[in-house]
């Protein structure tokens, strides 16, 4: 008897291992909070396990996970806790505690800020965008998804996705002006 | 500066580290374990545990459906029995009331008239009406009004001697002529019968003549709800506490018995000892019989359920898995869906041996779809039920 096909990501653990960073990044882009992103990631894979769906290809599985991650992140962002949380928490969560610049006792706050700015100026600019633009930007520029794929994953219309991308770029330009002075004009 | 490249580099910084991934995976597996009661990794041990379950761990649920059906049928029978026992005496009572009223009124009329008037026009009209009523009530008589009126003749003869000689005075006491409203007063007792007259008339009627119901023609001894030994409807349904609590049925029966003249027999032999079968009730009492029948039915029912359990344990579905794109599982045909290339190995698959090649397979039956995995848990294919 011939075996039809065996995918690399066969078992549930392998699926988690392979797609968990992607789901986490989508959730973090939307929520800008590490603990919330972890909760959403766990929720996504629990839903994946409970659904027990059969996927025709890895693209199908990936699309399902992305859509589920976007929906779960939107749900979490719409919760009362996240709606009333101070916006300053976003910048606090952007800094990685494992980085050497964030070690306690690092006295020069200005140098620390400059290092963090150099590392994640682009990310900070994206995180300052409105919530609905961040997911579109992430899916378009990081996951290399097309307008149609983003439309299918987010449930938005293609024209809406295009307009959101356009507005996000307009908003990013002034935010990246300082960074662009050193590296040249930003090419979207 | 290319925003796409810069963003990809910066987005790498928000990727979870190894520790975070392990932490999330452990949390997910723990939640799944909470839901499933076991970890997916130990599904083999769980499967073996399912094959050899502990005797006390799994209890077969009660057959609520059968209990509900049987209980409903018993309750319906009880309701029908109670309603029949309640309605039949009332029907019989209404017949007896009509007969008694006819007898009493006719007797009083004849007595008051004293035979002086003979058959007046009112008497003729009354006889005709009684005959018509008897024909309506007993259409099988078929003898016409003459025979119907002949049936009433012994009644008159039995009621007349019991009536006191001064019945005219009693009738005038109980029925004032002025209340009759236009009645000429020739037969005052004919219009409205008195309650004092009816029981005496029927006691005499039952004990001396022992004839049938003058209207229906039925023998009272043949009516099952009024046997001669004094048993009543409450005896046939002894364990209904509502009858005793509200006393409605007992009142109705008492009224009926008063009119039929059988209440002394019923009250002389109280049926309280028959209520509880365990307190020395007679051997032929109905509650014990019904209890024995119920117990025997329950025993048969338990034996049937045990047999069903044994049959369920012995039954094993068969798998015929061909290499031509079809299989049969438990006698049902499934066809291969070649468009499905991958599937996740399920948590609780069914282990089964293919009858054709003797190899073991894992099956996951999900409604109209079966996922087949080989012994190495490799995905073989997805089969859909043949339409």
């Amino acid at each position: 008897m011939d075996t039809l096909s065996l995918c690399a990501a066969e078992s549930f653990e392998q699926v988690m291992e392979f797609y968990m960073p992607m789901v986490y990044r989508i959730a973090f882009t939307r929520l800008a909070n590490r603990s919330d992103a972890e909760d959403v990631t766990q929720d996504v894979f629990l839903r994946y396990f409970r659904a027990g769906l059969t996927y025709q290809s890895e693209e199908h599985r990936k699309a399902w996970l992305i859509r589920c991650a976007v929906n779960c992140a939107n749900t979490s962002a719409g919760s009362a806790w996240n709606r009333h949380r101070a916006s300053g928490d976003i910048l606090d969560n952007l800094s990685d505690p494992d980085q050497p610049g964030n070690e306690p006792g690092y006295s020069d706050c200005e140098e620390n800020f400059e290092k963090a700015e150099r590392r994640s100026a682009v990310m900070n600019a994206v995180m300052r965008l409105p919530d609905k633009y961040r997911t579109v930007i992430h899916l378009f520029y990081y996951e290399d998804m097309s307008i149609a794929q983003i439309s299918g994953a987010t449930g938005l219309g293609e024209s809406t996705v295009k307009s959101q991308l356009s507005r996000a770029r307009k908003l990013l330009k002034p935010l990246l002006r300082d960074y662009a002075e050193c590296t040249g004009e930003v090419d979207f | 500066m290319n925003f796409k490249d810069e963003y990809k580099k910066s987005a790498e910084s928000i990727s979870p580290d190894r520790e975070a991934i392990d932490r999330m995976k452990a949390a997910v597996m723990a939640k799944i374990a909470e839901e499933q009661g076991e970890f997916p990794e130990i599904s083999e041990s769980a499967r073996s545990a399912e094959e050899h379950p502990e005797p006390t761990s799994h209890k077969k649920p009660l057959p609520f459906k059968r209990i509900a059906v049987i209980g409903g049928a018993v309750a319906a029978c009880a309701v029908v029995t109670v309603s029949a026992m309640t309605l039949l005496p009332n029907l019989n009572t209404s017949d007896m009331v009509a007969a008694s009223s006819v007898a009493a009124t006719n007797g009083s009329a004849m007595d008051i008239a004293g035979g002086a008037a003979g058959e007046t026009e009112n008497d003729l009209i009354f006889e005709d009406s009684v005959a018509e009523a008897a024909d309506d009530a007993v259409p099988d008589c078929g003898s016409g009004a003459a025979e119907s009126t002949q049936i009433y003749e012994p009644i008159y003869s039995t009621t007349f001697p019991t009536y006191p000689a001064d019945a005219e005075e009693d009738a005038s006491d109980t029925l004032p002529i002025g209340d009759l409203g236009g009645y000429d007063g020739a037969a005052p007792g004919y219009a409205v019968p008195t309650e004092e007259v009816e029981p005496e008339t029927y006691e005499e009627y039952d004990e001396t003549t022992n004839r049938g119901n003058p209207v229906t023609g039925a023998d009272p001894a043949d009516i099952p709800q009024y046997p001669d030994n004094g048993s009543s409807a409450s005896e046939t349904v002894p364990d209904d506490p509502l009858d005793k609590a509200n006393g409605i049925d007992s009142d109705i029966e008492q009224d009926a018995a008063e009119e039929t003249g059988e209440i002394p027999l019923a009250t002389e032999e109280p049926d309280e000892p028959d209520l509880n079968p365990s307190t020395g009730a007679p051997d032929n009492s109905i509650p014990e019989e019904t209890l024995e029948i119920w117990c025997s039915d329950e025993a048969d029912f338990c034996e049937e359920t045990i047999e069903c359990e044994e049959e369920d344990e012995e039954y094993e579905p068969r798998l015929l898995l061909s290499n031509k794109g079809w299989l049969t599982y438990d006698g049902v045909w499934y066809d291969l869906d070649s468009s499905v290339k991958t599937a996740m190995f399920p948590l609780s698959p069914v282990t089964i041996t293919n009858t054709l090649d003797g190899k073991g397979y894992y099956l996951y039956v999900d409604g109209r779809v079966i996922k087949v995995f080989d012994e190495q848990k490799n995905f073989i294919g997805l089969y859909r039920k043949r339409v």
Side-chain angles (χ1 to χ4, degrees):
Chain A
M1 183 178 300
D2 295 331
T3 300
L4 295 176
S5 174
L6 285 177
C7 182
E10 187 65 31
S11 69
F12 181 61
E13 276 203 41
Q14 288 173 315
V15 171
M16 280 199 298
E17 186 76 27
F18 189 74
Y19 289 108
M20 192 168 269
M22 178 195 73
V23 173
Y24 177 87
R25 279 191 294 266
I26 293 172
F28 183 83
T29 305
R30 178 69 175 84
L31 299 169
N33 185 281
R34 292 188 182 276
S35 58
D36 289 347
E38 288 187 6
D39 292 341
V40 168
T41 305
Q42 295 170 23
D43 191 21
V44 167
F45 283 100
L46 274 176
R47 288 168 186 263
Y48 171 82
F49 180 81
R50 288 171 189 153
L53 299 176
T54 303
Y55 303 96
Q56 298 179 359
S57 63
E58 279 305 309
E59 289 299 322
H60 185 200
R61 191 198 310 268
K62 182 181 177 182
W64 190 94
L65 287 170
I66 288 174
R67 171 137 199 180
C68 188
V70 170
N71 291 334
C72 289
N74 287 334
T75 304
S76 178
S79 65
W81 170 256
N82 284 318
R83 277 189 279 112
H84 293 90
R85 192 166 51 187
S87 58
D89 292 349
I90 295 177
L91 294 179
D92 295 339
N93 282 282
L94 280 177
S95 58
D96 193 348
D98 297 333
Q99 296 298 326
N102 294 327
E103 290 176 356
Y106 198 81
S107 56
D108 196 349
C109 294
E110 190 173 355
E111 288 183 6
N112 186 16
F113 178 75
E114 289 177 357
K115 285 184 180 178
E117 190 179 24
R118 283 196 298 271
R119 283 197 302 268
S120 59
V122 175
M123 182 56 66
N124 283 333
V126 171
M127 288 299 166
R128 285 186 175 89
L129 290 175
D131 297 345
K132 57 184 179 181
Y133 297 153
R134 293 205 294 259
T135 303
V136 178
I137 288 288
H138 179 80
L139 294 178
F140 187 79
Y141 286 109
Y142 189 85
E143 300 295 341
D144 293 329
M145 294 173 70
S146 64
I147 300 291
Q149 288 173 333
I150 296 172
S151 173
T154 58
L156 302 172
E158 292 188 13
S159 58
T160 307
V161 174
K162 285 181 184 176
S163 64
Q164 286 186 355
L165 276 174
S166 174
R167 289 170 188 166
R169 288 174 190 135
K170 287 182 182 176
L171 291 172
L172 280 173
K173 280 182 180 176
L175 295 174
L176 295 173
R177 187 175 299 156
D178 296 337
Y179 185 72
E181 288 177 354
C182 304
T183 58
E185 189 175 356
V186 179
D187 183 17
F188 288 100
Chain B
M1 167 190 168
N2 191 353
F3 176 79
K4 186 174 184 178
D5 296 336
E6 295 296 329
Y7 180 74
K8 280 193 173 183
K9 289 177 184 175
S10 61
E12 292 295 334
S13 63
I14 64 171
S15 298
D17 53 359
R18 186 72 247 170
E19 185 181 353
I21 290 174
D22 292 340
R23 187 170 61 248
M24 286 188 286
K25 282 169 63 176
V28 170
M29 300 304 278
K31 287 180 182 176
I32 291 172
E34 284 180 3
E35 293 178 357
Q36 302 280 333
E38 58 196 14
F39 280 95
E41 289 81 5
I42 59 171
S43 58
E44 290 292 332
S45 60
R47 197 177 302 119
S48 63
E50 288 179 358
E51 291 173 359
H52 304 287
E54 295 180 4
T56 58
S57 61
H58 300 290
K59 290 183 178 179
K60 184 178 179 58
L62 291 172
F64 289 112
K65 192 174 180 181
R66 284 189 175 185
I67 291 173
V69 170
I70 294 171
V74 170
C77 291
V79 168
V80 168
T81 306
V82 170
S83 60
M85 291 302 164
T86 315
L87 291 176
L88 284 178
N90 292 336
L91 294 175
N92 193 22
T93 301
S94 63
D95 293 338
M96 300 303 282
V97 166
S100 63
S101 62
V102 166
T105 54
N106 196 15
S108 59
M110 294 291 286
D111 196 5
I112 292 169
E119 287 189 356
T120 62
E121 290 181 0
N122 291 328
D123 292 332
L124 291 173
I125 294 169
F126 168 72
E127 286 182 2
D128 291 338
S129 64
V130 168
E132 289 175 357
D135 284 336
D136 293 335
V138 187
D140 294 333
C141 291
S143 301
E147 291 183 5
S148 299
T149 53
Q150 287 176 1
I151 293 173
Y152 283 88
E153 288 178 1
I155 300 174
Y156 303 149
S157 63
T158 55
T159 54
F160 288 159
T162 59
Y163 223 69
D166 53 352
E168 188 175 359
E169 295 177 1
D170 294 338
S172 61
D173 292 337
T174 55
L175 288 172
I177 295 174
D179 295 335
L180 295 177
Y183 193 70
D184 57 358
Y190 159 67
V192 180
T194 59
E195 293 182 353
E196 293 92 4
V197 178
E198 295 171 1
E200 294 177 358
T201 303
Y202 265 86
E203 283 179 4
E204 181 121 8
Y205 163 71
D206 284 332
E207 292 175 358
T208 58
T209 61
N210 196 18
R211 298 176 72 103
N213 191 335
V215 176
T216 60
D219 193 353
D222 295 334
I223 300 173
Q225 59 270 27
Y226 289 102
D228 291 335
N229 57 359
S231 63
S232 61
S234 61
E235 192 175 358
T236 57
V237 189
D239 52 352
D240 190 0
L242 290 176
D243 292 343
K244 292 199 168 191
N246 52 27
I248 293 173
D249 291 339
S250 60
D251 292 338
I252 294 171
E253 291 163 4
Q254 189 174 1
D255 295 337
E258 283 178 356
E259 293 180 1
T260 55
E262 291 182 357
I263 189 163
L265 295 175
T267 54
E268 284 175 359
E269 295 179 1
D271 50 1
E272 278 80 10
D274 295 340
L275 292 176
N276 189 358
S278 62
T279 57
D283 292 335
N284 57 352
S285 61
I286 295 173
E288 282 192 354
E289 291 177 357
T290 56
L291 186 63
E292 289 173 358
I293 291 170
W294 172 254
C295 292
S296 61
D297 289 343
E298 193 174 17
D300 296 338
F301 169 71
C302 295
E303 289 176 359
E304 288 178 358
T305 55
I306 292 170
E307 290 174 358
C308 292
E309 286 179 355
E310 292 174 353
E311 289 177 358
D312 291 341
E313 289 177 358
E314 292 173 355
Y315 176 74
E316 289 183 358
R318 293 180 63 188
L319 172 69
L320 291 174
L321 179 60
S322 75
N323 55 358
K324 296 181 180 178
W326 57 266
L327 65 83
T328 62
Y329 176 68
D330 198 11
V332 181
W333 285 79
Y334 294 83
D335 291 324
L336 177 65
D337 186 357
S338 58
S339 63
V340 181
K341 306 296 183 186
T342 63
M344 191 174 65
F345 190 76
L347 281 182
S348 56
V350 178
T351 307
I352 195 167
T353 304
N354 185 11
T355 309
L356 293 179
D357 55 8
K359 293 180 180 177
Y361 291 92
Y362 292 107
L363 296 184
Y364 181 70
V365 183
D366 185 11
R368 303 177 63 83
V369 172
I370 289 182
K371 298 174 187 174
V372 183
F373 299 85
D374 61 5
E375 289 180 332
Q376 288 76 33
K377 301 181 181 179
N378 296 324
F379 182 63
I380 301 298
L382 185 140
Y383 291 80
R384 298 186 186 278
K385 185 180 285 186
R386 182 175 295 181
V387 181

